[in-house]
Amino acid sequence: MHCRRLIRLLVLASTLLASVAQALASSQQTHGRRVAVIGGGAGGVSAALFTHNLAGNYTTRPVQLTLFEASERIGGRARAVAVPNPFDPTLDPVLVETGAAMFVSLNTHLMAAVKRYNLSLVSQSESCSTKFEDPNESRRKHDVEPQAPAFGIFNGQDIIFSADEDSTWSTIAKAAWRWGLLSPYRARSLALSTAAQFAKSYELEANNGLGFANLRSFLMDGLRMDLALVTSSAREYLLSQGVGAQFLDEFVEPATRVNYGQNLDCNALGALICLTAAFVDGDAVVGGNSLIFEGMVKESGAKVLLETPVEEVRKTNASTYSLLDASGKLLGEFDDVIVAVPFVEGLPCIRFTNTQTVPTPIPYVHLHVTFVTGVLNPSRFHTGPGQLPRAILTTAAAAVSGLPVNSIGTRHEFPGTNVTVTKLFSQHTLGDVALSALYETVLRVERLQWDAYPVLRPLSWEDSGDPVVVVDEIVGAGGVFHVNAFEAYFSAMEGETVASANVVQLMMGRWRELEEKEALELGREL
């Protein structure tokens, strides 16, 4: 009698378990997570990769990834132009990055990707290339042989500081003579300390400790940063930390001008990120930094739709999101949407319909980049032949004196000639007349312009609030998240990947909560 009852109970239990398994399987097949990523730059492709890699830790459902990119290429602001050889066009062209030109060895995500995809690196000398580092640290050669100083700062009248990459003690001596020891030392300490605080994001990521819906909380609670880094101007903050005004004007400001197109009225965090490159080796990928992001999107397994601009994100009555193009054509229905494109203040952006809010518009620096194949005129910089630095950064005083460029970087020298390929950053178009004042000979010019970096103005939460990360949330369903909200604080390729990791863990934390709730409700029904 008891045996029969036990058998019935076992049969009933196995039937219930089978019913639960079948119900869960049916639910997973019917309701797999459909995720759209808008934007094929550093933020978008890393968001796709993180979603692919982490999904199994947060959901039992299949995840379908679709990435939309408005242009014909992956990489976003990481883009290289091909400059032909003026003496033999049949030879391979010189590849020169337009922007997003370098990253540093501390950039964990980018360096790991370089290794995974077997990419080669070349050391860069353009952005903040002077290094106050240990003289015993190894250094690598640049595209251009060190016949002239690697780096120089021009104030409109003279090159007030120059340095050879292979003469660290000489560089330190020059810096100490001009600015004293304390200002460079304090600036270096602040930059490396900020980099170490930023590195805490990797530990948080590894322990599933990201997922901040509030950027202020990310900085203060997650990274333990001083809020003054984003609420104070670089000049105000660095002066308060004992960095001298002359060093700020003659070294730090040229660094922010070349990296962000801004003077020291930018926030302190942006300036310290620029300075990190002065003390840590900088690199670029042979063949272009976009190769990193092409590798990431391939590894993610996402369906990639190039030349497919998204015009509108619309929340539907079915608790999903419709993506539409400019004609109103439906591009797809999704449970979650990760937006990884800038929202440039004053320009048309993606429309959001029925969502709780919209991404925070951010002003961007409209940058002009000019590639010149020719011969620079050393007399314009009051120096002689062979003495012109390969990277020339300019002070704000140079702009006042009439020099219309933020920086000039020699990216290639054609062997056996004095012809070079140079890249110039400026706030306005450099016409032929302006170039003729800078060059003895101009063989070829290529001009581009784009909204290159955010205007890193100090933030006041009392006035403007925290930049929007969570654009929309549907109770019991998905949401819309904005990666580029982080650009209100700073802009860098690695920064975009960290912002993506944060958004993905935020999205997936909601997935886990939803599935736990569904499992409880399903158990009650059965």
Side-chain angles (χ1 to χ4, degrees):
M1 186 72 176
H2 291 293
C3 288
R4 290 179 181 175
R5 185 176 297 171
L6 181 59
I7 290 171
R8 289 196 195 102
L9 288 173
L10 289 172
V11 171
L12 178 61
S14 63
T15 302
L16 285 172
L17 288 172
S19 298
V20 170
Q22 185 177 4
L24 286 172
S26 175
S27 174
Q28 291 169 10
Q29 290 173 1
T30 307
H31 302 291
R33 306 296 310 188
R34 298 166 300 175
V35 180
V37 178
I38 303 175
V45 299
S46 59
L49 181 58
F50 292 137
T51 301
H52 169 76
N53 288 344
L54 296 177
N57 298 335
Y58 289 86
T59 181
T60 57
R61 297 175 178 176
V63 176
Q64 301 169 2
L65 270 168
T66 306
L67 185 142
F68 296 87
E69 167 54 42
S71 75
E72 76 290 349
R73 53 178 289 278
I74 291 293
R77 283 170 276 183
R79 175 187 176 189
V81 299
V83 179
N85 186 309
F87 305 104
D88 188 349
T90 64
L91 296 176
D92 290 338
V94 177
L95 291 179
V96 184
E97 296 282 353
T98 58
M102 63 169 288
F103 51 96
V104 299
S105 57
L106 300 176
N107 293 160
T108 298
H109 291 149
L110 297 180
M111 294 302 292
V114 166
K115 292 180 181 177
R116 285 200 309 276
Y117 310 140
N118 296 315
L119 301 175
S120 299
L121 295 176
V122 60
S123 183
Q124 292 290 289
S125 63
E126 181 176 34
S127 298
C128 304
S129 61
T130 297
K131 293 181 167 49
F132 300 112
E133 61 187 9
D134 186 333
N136 295 318
E137 289 187 23
S138 62
R139 281 165 292 275
R140 286 158 287 182
K141 293 174 68 178
H142 295 287
D143 249 350
V144 183
E145 293 297 326
Q147 300 167 349
F151 167 90
I153 297 172
F154 186 66
N155 69 355
Q157 300 298 322
D158 297 293
I159 293 177
I160 58 175
F161 182 80
S162 64
D164 283 323
E165 190 183 28
D166 295 326
S167 302
T168 302
W169 286 119
S170 172
T171 299
I172 292 174
K174 286 183 179 180
W177 179 262
R178 187 165 188 88
W179 300 304
L181 284 172
L182 287 181
S183 286
Y185 173 78
R186 287 168 177 161
R188 180 183 188 276
S189 297
L190 288 167
L192 296 183
S193 173
T194 301
Q197 287 178 301
F198 181 79
K200 292 178 184 176
S201 63
Y202 305 123
E203 181 180 348
L204 289 170
E205 179 188 341
N207 294 311
N208 297 322
L210 291 177
F212 292 91
N214 180 291
L215 295 186
R216 184 173 183 173
S217 179
F218 172 74
L219 283 185
M220 295 183 65
D221 302 329
L223 303 186
R224 305 291 182 184
M225 278 189 177
D226 181 357
L227 206 57
L229 288 172
V230 293
T231 59
S232 303
S233 73
R235 182 177 297 279
E236 177 186 14
Y237 182 82
L238 292 171
L239 283 173
S240 75
Q241 300 299 311
V243 180
Q246 184 181 0
F247 185 72
L248 293 179
D249 291 337
E250 295 182 349
F251 188 87
V252 181
E253 192 160 59
T256 62
R257 284 168 58 80
V258 65
N259 283 281
Y260 285 130
Q262 294 161 73
N263 295 335
L264 288 181
D265 51 357
C266 68
N267 69 40
L269 180 59
L272 290 173
I273 287 172
C274 290
L275 285 179
T276 301
F279 312 118
V280 179
D281 282 334
D283 295 288
V285 172
V286 175
N289 292 331
S290 62
L291 293 176
I292 294 176
F293 307 119
E294 292 172 11
M296 283 184 173
V297 77
K298 183 178 180 180
E299 186 181 356
S300 77
K303 178 182 179 181
V304 178
L305 300 176
L306 298 177
E307 299 182 275
T308 309
V310 175
E311 181 74 16
E312 181 182 359
V313 176
R314 179 185 299 170
K315 182 162 67 175
T316 72
N317 294 329
S319 296
T320 60
Y321 299 96
S322 297
L323 270 56
L324 302 102
D325 67 11
S327 69
K329 176 185 175 183
L330 180 66
L331 298 173
E333 293 279 346
F334 299 92
D335 300 295
D336 295 275
V337 180
I338 297 174
V339 182
V341 294
F343 269 64
V344 182
E345 186 175 272
L347 293 181
C349 298
I350 298 171
R351 294 198 312 274
F352 289 82
T353 304
N354 302 327
T355 55
Q356 294 159 340
T357 186
V358 298
T360 306
I362 299 172
Y364 276 69
V365 173
H366 193 74
L367 187 74
H368 295 256
V369 57
T370 307
F371 303 92
V372 179
T373 304
V375 181
L376 274 168
N377 184 356
S379 65
R380 175 63 181 85
F381 302 92
H382 299 170
T383 188
Q387 297 301 309
L388 200 60
R390 301 195 308 278
I392 301 172
L393 276 57
T394 64
T395 66
V400 173
S401 71
L403 184 69
V405 300
N406 295 346
S407 64
I408 305 173
T410 299
R411 309 312 305 135
H412 185 76
E413 185 177 72
F414 294 100
T417 76
N418 59 353
V419 176
T420 62
V421 176
T422 48
K423 179 172 76 171
L424 300 87
F425 285 155
S426 62
Q427 304 295 116
H428 306 284
T429 300
L430 295 178
D432 293 342
V433 173
L435 292 178
S436 67
L438 296 173
Y439 288 82
E440 293 177 352
T441 305
V442 174
L443 301 178
R444 181 184 181 275
V445 179
E446 182 172 353
R447 298 178 177 91
L448 298 172
Q449 56 180 299
W450 79 103
D451 296 302
Y453 344 92
V455 176
L456 297 175
R457 56 191 179 192
L459 295 178
S460 171
W461 278 280
E462 291 75 14
D463 297 335
S464 59
D466 206 38
V468 172
V469 176
V470 181
V471 176
D472 194 70
E473 290 181 292
I474 300 174
V475 177
V480 179
F481 310 91
H482 189 216
V483 170
N484 292 67
F486 273 67
E487 289 201 304
Y489 293 160
F490 67 95
S491 178
M493 290 186 288
E494 183 74 3
E496 287 297 295
T497 67
V498 170
S500 291
N502 179 72
V503 159
V504 168
Q505 289 195 10
L506 177 61
M507 175 181 72
M508 290 187 172
R510 299 187 73 249
W511 291 5
R512 177 179 287 166
E513 292 174 2
L514 291 173
E515 291 199 15
E516 289 174 350
K517 183 178 179 181
E518 289 173 357
L520 286 173
E521 293 175 351
L522 185 60
R524 292 192 192 102
E525 293 175 3
L526 293 173

